[in-house]
Amino acid sequence: MLVSQGVDAALAGVFGLLIGSFLNVVIYRLPKMLERQWVSDCAGLDGSEPGAVEPFNLMVPHSRCQQCGHVIRWYENVPLLSYLMLRGRCSACSTPIGLRYPLVELVTGLLFAWCVWRMPGQWAALAWCGFSAALLALALIDWDTTLLPDDITLPLLWAGLLASMLGFTGVALNTAVVGAVAGYLSLWSVYWLFKLATGKEGMGYGDFKLFAAFGAWFGWQALVPIVLMASVIGVVVGLALKFNNGLREGGYVPFGPFLAGAGFTAMFFGADAILRVVGLG
Ligand SMILES: [Zn+2]
């Protein structure tokens, strides 16, 4: 039992490496695809025909070195191994490749292995692998661009309700539905109170949708622990950035990555454990 469980987890880990490689593409390209969409929509608003643009999506064009334009060959795109074999440099111009690429692959592999190890032989493991992949992509896209794209948050929300219905999450369907509604409305209310009180925007609508998705995956009871945990992570990271002068212009730090961190904590340890950590349980 333990051996086959380990083999399954290892296979899931390898599969996760491949998905992680795909996530790197999503994280890099999805915001650019959305931006191109907006630009072309805006071009259409004044009645002019949007000009023809080169296709740009998750499949096309091939990945290139951003420095020299060298097209990345398939054998240069094997998760982790290629990075190690190329010693972290472009084979054509020797420009260093970001350490983030292999890290995303490695983390995705570990997350998938963990899910399958914890839920051996269950479809639920697959559902939580999907949850992990979506959450990792969202965290990094938000960190880079302060956007949480609907293309990921909304499917994550629907998937959470479906997973609840199929019994994958151990959350009753009505608890998940109430969780989704409460998740959205609670942050929406905080957003408007904060905006009316200070005239500033502390969050974006993407945060509400991500929190709604957490309500669907974990049930409404988990919402308070998750938002507390996200705030704790946010304060710690915010202070660390401040002391290292790592804050970007305007001092704005997106909330999504901290929500995602809290979501992973809830997945690993359960929402109850979070309450104990923050001293309320
Ligand atoms: Zn290059």
Side-chain angles (χ1 to χ4, degrees), residues 9-104:
L11 286 175
V14 172
F15 181 59
L17 290 177
L18 295 169
I19 297 294
S21 182
F22 173 68
L23 290 184
N24 276 320
V25 178
V26 172
I27 292 161
Y28 180 70
R29 290 197 185 184
L30 185 57
K32 290 188 166 42
M33 285 159 58
L34 293 173
E35 195 186 315
R36 287 167 72 108
Q37 186 63 47
W38 289 327
V39 169
S40 107
D41 286 352
C42 292
L45 279 181
D46 59 7
S48 64
E49 283 293 311
V53 282
E54 294 286 310
F56 183 87
N57 54 48
L58 295 180
M59 312 310 268
V60 185
H62 279 294
S63 300
R64 286 168 176 276
C65 168
Q66 287 164 47
Q67 190 63 36
C68 71
H70 165 72
V71 175
I72 314 285
R73 310 273 171 207
W74 67 267
Y75 53 81
E76 291 171 347
N77 211 4
V78 181
L80 282 189
L81 294 182
S82 290
Y83 185 87
L84 294 175
M85 270 171 0
L86 294 167
R87 294 170 198 277
R89 291 176 178 279
C90 168
S91 64
C93 71
S94 296
T95 300
I97 303 167
L99 189 60
R100 187 206 268 189
Y101 293 98
L103 275 181
V104 166

Side-chain angles (χ1 to χ4, degrees), residues 131 135 138 142 148-150 152-154 156-158 160-161 175-191 203-231 255-263 266 271 274:
F131 174 87
L135 205 52
L138 283 172
D142 197 26
L148 289 168
D150 284 355
I152 305 179
T153 51
L154 295 181
L156 187 63
L157 169 56
W158 306 134
L161 295 176
T175 310
V177 172
V178 172
V181 175
Y184 191 93
L185 286 183
S186 56
L187 286 198
W188 180 87
S189 313
V190 170
Y191 168 87
M203 281 180 280
Y205 275 69
D207 295 309
F208 316 159
K209 292 167 199 164
L210 176 56
F211 203 41
F214 285 160
W217 281 85
F218 297 106
W220 60 265
Q221 300 92 334
L223 290 174
V224 170
I226 286 177
V227 85
L228 283 174
M229 188 74 195
S231 308
F255 193 50
F258 311 135
L259 270 181
I274 297 178

Side-chain angles (χ1 to χ4, degrees), residues 251-280:
Y252 182 76
V253 181
F255 193 50
F258 311 135
L259 270 181
F264 279 124
T265 313
M267 181 178 89
F268 288 133
F269 305 107
D272 304 348
I274 297 178
L275 280 185
R276 286 197 292 279
V277 169
V278 294
L280 293 172

